[in-house]
Structure formats: structure tokens, C-alpha cells
Amino acid sequence: MAGTLYLVATPIGNLDDMPPRVAATFGAVDFVAAEDTRVTLRLLNHLGLKKPLVSYYEHALHHGEAILQRIEAGEDCALCSDAGMPCISDPGEQIVAEAHARGIRVVPVPGASACITALAASGQPTARFVFEGFLPVPKRERRERLAALQGETRTILFYEAPHKLRGTLEDLTAAFGADRPVSLCRELTKLHEEIVKTTLGEAAAYYKDHDPRGEYVLVVAGADPAAAATEAEPTKEDVVAAAKALLAGGMPPSAATKQAAAGTPFSKGEIYKELIAKA
């Protein structure tokens, strides 16, 4: 009879937030699949537990098949990330999808999640939100993702590492405007926890002179629904200008015209002809 795959949340910083069921699950399973075995080993040592550890991290996902085979053979597995709920911005999602496909029982053991913790404490609207996680690193993909979010009226959540924060704040300011409200939540539940509600422009200016420290969740207010509803429909000249701006930023003509024309009454072909004619 097949075993069970437990999705085990771990504390996002403060070990006092460890739920009793999390500790009990680690104690009961046959082995642990970890994002980083070194991080999870420290957690198990804190609990006084010794368990076989395997890695499922992105560069070792070939281990996923071995993990699933062990569960099919009858072993119970606790899958966990370095912090928070596994499989959120985390390659463990692939193992979970495959477990469902194979009929393996999947049991969540919930706990803290950085994005939900930040949203609740941010002071931004919480009724409707969208989680974006980490923005793409390649500049073209990043521009396309932010362009797609410009009309988003729900609160938007991003994760960011300290060494990339300055660039991300500059990109968000360029995409959403300097006046867009944002809450910067860093080191949640840890000794130096800080939650600051400000604007993108003010945050970008602040971090030009101050070094970012710790892991960040950026909670960005969505676009004003009233402003979005009353926004005038773009003219063909507006769309061509947008395509030119994307082209100047390094995007190929075909992709620039496709993105600029999206959501407008003009076809990609119309804009492409105008773009070439005015080149």
C-alpha cells in the first residue's frame, strides 16, 4: 500500500511559531524531502529528530522520481521548503502534481506563509489580491510581466531578495508610477522585522541611500478601478508609440507590436505596418 506525501509548513523565521502538528509529522514520517537539506537539518536538530533527508531542489529534481517511488513503495514523506508553506514559489509543486497523477495521497500540514502574513499586516486592501512571487530575471520577460500587470486592480504581492531590491523598486515605479502605494515587509517574525507603508517612489528614493537587508515581501496596491474604468480608449497613434517604446527597450518588432496591440481595437498587423512605415 502506498504511503502519504505530507506538505509540511515550517516557520518563516521565528521557531516559536512551530505548530505542534508540524513537529509531530516530522517525527512520524519515514523520510524528509527538503528544498535545502542543510536548512532542514538544523530544524530537525532543533526538534531533536533524526530523519533521512533528500533534496528536491530545482537543480536536483531528478530526485523527484526517487521520492515518488519510495512513497509508492509504502514510505511516508514530509516535503518542506526552507521557510513557510512548500510548493509556493517552490519547485516542490512538480512533485505534488505528479503525486496526484499517480493517485498518491497528499496531506497539507499548514502553517505560516510569508505572503499572507505580509498582506494581513500591510495596510493595503486584502479582499482581492494576486500573488506574483519573484519577478523574472531576464529584462524582456520582466518588462512583459509588469506591462501585463499595469491594469491590475487587485493588490499585488512580490517576493524579493535584498541584493535585487533596488532594481525591482525602480522597475515597479516605472511600471506603476511613483505615487502607487506599497508596503515593504522584511524579516517577518524575526528580530529585525519591519513593515513600512509608503509609495514606490519614496521607497526607491530611500533605498538609493540605504542598504536593503533581509528578505522582502512587497505588497503593492492595485490600480484605481475608477481611473481604469474611465481611461480613454487608446488611439492608433498611442499604440504605435507604445510599440516604439518597447522596440527601443530591446524588444523585437513582432513582440513589441503584439504586446502594444493587446487589449486594443487594433490588430498586431495594423500596428506593425504603422511601425515599419514610420521607422
Side-chain angles (χ1 to χ4, degrees):
M1 186 175 179
T4 299
L5 176 61
Y6 293 93
L7 308 182
V8 183
T10 55
I12 61 176
N14 191 328
L15 291 179
D16 288 339
D17 294 334
M18 179 89 68
R21 187 179 170 210
V22 165
T25 302
F26 276 129
V29 297
D30 298 294
F31 71 104
V32 177
E35 178 184 1
D36 186 328
T37 55
R38 296 165 299 180
V39 173
T40 302
L41 179 60
R42 290 196 292 270
L43 181 64
L44 293 177
N45 287 339
H46 173 78
L47 294 171
L49 298 172
K50 290 185 178 180
K51 292 288 174 178
L53 286 163
V54 297
S55 171
Y56 69 84
Y57 186 58
E58 187 173 5
H59 300 297
L61 277 182
H62 59 280
H63 292 170
E65 178 61 27
I67 290 169
L68 292 164
Q69 287 179 359
R70 289 179 66 172
I71 298 172
E72 287 179 318
E75 293 186 77
D76 291 332
C77 172
L79 186 148
C80 65
S81 65
D82 290 349
M85 198 68 196
C87 309
I88 307 299
S89 282
D90 175 82
E93 66 175 307
Q94 299 178 40
I95 295 175
V96 174
E98 183 62 25
H100 281 290
R102 297 185 184 201
I104 292 173
R105 183 181 177 220
V106 176
V107 175
V109 183
S113 173
C115 62
I116 298 300
T117 302
L119 177 64
S122 68
Q124 306 295 349
T126 62
R128 298 176 69 244
F129 62 93
V130 56
F131 174 70
E132 285 292 322
F134 291 97
L135 282 168
V137 174
K139 291 183 179 179
R140 176 183 170 182
E141 293 180 27
R142 177 174 284 227
R143 283 195 303 268
E144 291 176 350
R145 178 74 61 80
L146 290 174
L149 290 169
Q150 284 180 335
E152 178 60 69
T153 58
R154 294 171 292 182
T155 300
I156 313 168
L157 283 73
F158 299 97
Y159 283 161
E160 196 50 277
H163 66 285
K164 294 182 180 178
L165 182 70
R166 287 190 177 106
T168 294
L169 287 173
E170 291 173 0
D171 291 341
L172 293 175
T173 301
F176 303 139
D179 294 333
R180 181 72 69 91
V182 61
S183 295
L184 292 90
C185 308
R186 73 178 187 92
E187 294 293 87
L188 290 169
T189 77
K190 300 178 184 177
L191 179 63
H192 299 293
E193 176 182 85
E194 183 179 50
I195 301 169
V196 178
K197 188 178 182 183
T198 180
T199 65
L200 286 172
E202 290 173 348
Y206 176 83
Y207 280 106
K208 284 183 179 179
D209 300 321
H210 298 80
D211 291 331
R213 295 181 179 179
E215 301 296 320
Y216 287 78
V217 182
L218 306 178
V219 185
V220 182
D224 182 354
T230 58
E231 188 175 285
E233 190 173 89
T235 65
K236 183 180 288 188
E237 288 72 22
D238 293 332
V239 180
V240 172
K244 282 186 176 180
L246 293 170
L247 194 62
M251 191 178 290
S254 179
T257 52
K258 180 179 180 181
Q259 182 171 315
T264 75
F266 307 104
S267 70
K268 170 187 171 182
E270 288 180 87
I271 304 306
Y272 186 83
K273 288 179 182 178
E274 291 285 335
L275 189 65
I276 297 302
K278 296 181 179 181

